[in-house]
Amino acid sequence: MDVTRNPNEHMAFGRGGPHMCLGNSLARLEVRIMFEDLLGRISKMERVGEIDHLRSNFVNGIKRFPVKVTLR
Ligand code: HEM
């Protein structure tokens, strides 16, 4: 995934068709709360190793993304 892609449309929950994720509002709320809480606790987060991608024909995802977290 390239977060700098252009256009950068939101794709995580489907593209708005008949099977658009029914839980998208709950999932967005959970992720927002998680980041709000996390950002209050840490001062720095940096990647410290290689990213491992999931090997799958169906799902594109990250399996391992090692980071070093510095607490406030
Ligand atoms: C970060 C969390 C989540 C992600 C990334 C996600 C992603 C997705 C995706 C990609 C689809 C298929 C969309 C499509 O085919 O157009 C989907 C469908 C669905 N999701 Fe989620 N989802 C998440 C959380 C949730 C939660 C929390 C719930 C329920 C509480 C939920 C319930 C559903 C249901 C019921 C469908 C099927 C909708 C249908 O086929 O009509 N999801 N989700």
Side-chain angles (χ1 to χ4, degrees), residues 15-65:
R15 302 288 302 273
H19 296 286
M20 169 82 180
C21 177
L22 285 180
N24 79 83
S25 297
L26 174 62
R28 285 173 209 262
L29 181 65
E30 288 176 343
V31 170
R32 184 175 333 118
I33 290 169
M34 188 269 289
F35 275 116
E36 282 171 0
D37 194 60
L38 190 67
L39 290 174
R41 292 170 190 237
I42 67 172
S43 61
K44 194 175 173 188
M45 185 187 286
E46 55 191 315
R47 181 159 71 90
V48 292
E50 290 306 307
I51 297 170
D52 248 2
H53 288 269
L54 191 67
R55 293 186 64 186
S56 164
N57 290 330
F58 302 106
V59 182
N60 183 16
I62 292 173
K63 212 172 171 188
R64 205 166 289 109
F65 191 131

